[in-house]
Amino acid sequence: DVKVTQSSRYLVKRTGEKVFLECVQDMDHENMFWYRQDPGLGLRLIYFSYDVKMKEKGDIPEGYSVSREKKERFSLILESASTNQTSMYLCASSFPSGLTDTQYFGPGTRLTVL
Amino acid sequence: SQKIEQNSEALNIQEGKTATLTCNYTNYSPAYLQWYRQDPGRGPVFLLLIRENEKEKRKERLKVTFDTTLKQSLFHITASQPADSATYLCALGAGGGNKLTFGTGTQLKVEL
């Protein structure tokens, strides 16, 4: 069965801390994505990666960076967390078939920055 | 700019009725459209995909239509059940192994 896991379900950090969110998929997918989801704003793409060591900015990359050293793992980094980064963070992966691009999501990490 | 609109107001219906959710888009020529279900505190789960050259797709109690002239997709759940209560997201893709653009979702509540 397809599986995307995220390192934490809930996380509480302080302003200015460096935060790492980890995502692992076991489907050998090339594509991986990081979104944040806020009420009324829906899913917004932060960064995505279509191969190891490759990354592309999404719609809201400011304040975030990513790392993809291995195919199965995609990390989201908040260099200096701020309160406006309090949100639900969702990781997803997909196989780049060009026909469907169906995404498989992890359970999400609810991050609170105090 | 690309825009996807889903009704932000929750849809409340009675058990057994057909739920119909709408997804409208502008400034986009999608190769396909997908529908996802999201339960509270969980990640979205893929339900159905319909391609630009398809008018209708069915899967069990689910039916999706796609009108590229109206730039609209309708998502139907027949014989709805309380277990169908969730938020439903539409997503558009251009194809080519690319990313998706998601709507904000519509919350469905099925009451006994």
Side-chain angles (χ1 to χ4, degrees):
Chain A
D1 208 11
V2 163
K3 201 151 188 187
V4 179
T5 56
Q6 295 184 229
S7 49
S8 307
R9 290 303 308 276
Y10 300 94
L11 209 52
V12 179
K13 295 291 182 181
R14 296 210 173 273
T15 302
E17 279 192 80
K18 191 168 186 176
V19 182
F20 293 87
L21 302 182
E22 299 278 326
C23 175
V24 178
Q25 50 96 3
D26 66 357
M27 296 162 284
D28 203 34
H29 284 168
E30 275 79 5
N31 293 347
M32 295 188 76
F33 307 83
W34 274 107
Y35 297 89
R36 64 177 283 176
Q37 187 173 34
D38 302 285
L41 297 176
L43 280 167
R44 292 183 291 168
L45 183 64
I46 304 171
Y47 268 97
F48 66 102
S49 167
Y50 51 87
D51 202 351
V52 176
K53 296 194 185 295
M54 306 300 286
K55 61 184 179 184
E56 293 277 342
K57 291 181 180 178
D59 301 316
I60 51 164
E62 297 78 20
Y64 303 94
S65 62
V66 290
S67 171
R68 186 134 182 236
E69 296 296 318
K70 292 185 178 181
K71 190 176 185 180
E72 68 271 17
R73 191 179 296 268
F74 192 33
S75 303
L76 180 69
I77 303 152
L78 286 66
E79 295 290 342
S80 178
S82 64
T83 54
N84 62 14
Q85 293 178 310
T86 291
S87 186
M88 172 71 124
Y89 289 88
L90 289 159
C91 173
S93 71
S94 73
F95 181 71
S97 70
L99 298 174
T100 66
D101 300 317
T102 299
Q103 293 189 10
Y104 297 88
F105 284 83
T109 295
R110 187 162 293 281
L111 173 67
T112 301
V113 183
L114 302 174
Chain B
S1 61
Q2 296 171 352
K3 196 173 181 181
I4 303 173
E5 289 185 342
Q6 294 185 258
N7 197 337
S8 58
E9 290 183 15
L11 177 64
N12 297 321
I13 64 165
Q14 274 193 318
E15 183 179 21
K17 301 289 186 183
T18 296
T20 298
L21 285 70
T22 305
C23 176
N24 295 299
Y25 60 93
T26 54
N27 298 323
Y28 208 123
S29 295
Y32 52 76
L33 186 146
Q34 302 184 12
W35 284 89
Y36 288 75
R37 169 185 171 137
Q38 186 175 23
D39 292 289
R42 301 287 179 181
V45 175
F46 170 76
L47 294 175
L48 275 173
L49 175 146
I50 186 165
R51 295 193 172 84
E52 60 177 335
N53 60 350
E54 296 174 318
K55 296 288 186 187
E56 183 179 297
K57 208 74 169 285
R58 291 176 185 260
K59 180 182 176 182
E60 297 171 355
R61 294 185 295 112
L62 308 180
K63 185 178 87 170
V64 174
T65 63
F66 194 11
D67 189 326
T68 55
T69 302
L70 290 178
K71 296 187 183 296
Q72 181 182 77
S73 174
L74 298 178
F75 177 78
H76 307 272
I77 305 175
T78 58
S80 59
Q81 305 164 1
D84 295 326
S85 298
T87 296
Y88 292 86
L89 307 169
C90 69
L92 276 63
N98 225 318
K99 56 184 179 174
L100 298 174
T101 302
F102 284 84
T104 53
T106 297
Q107 186 180 13
L108 172 67
K109 294 179 183 176
V110 182
E111 298 162 340
L112 293 168

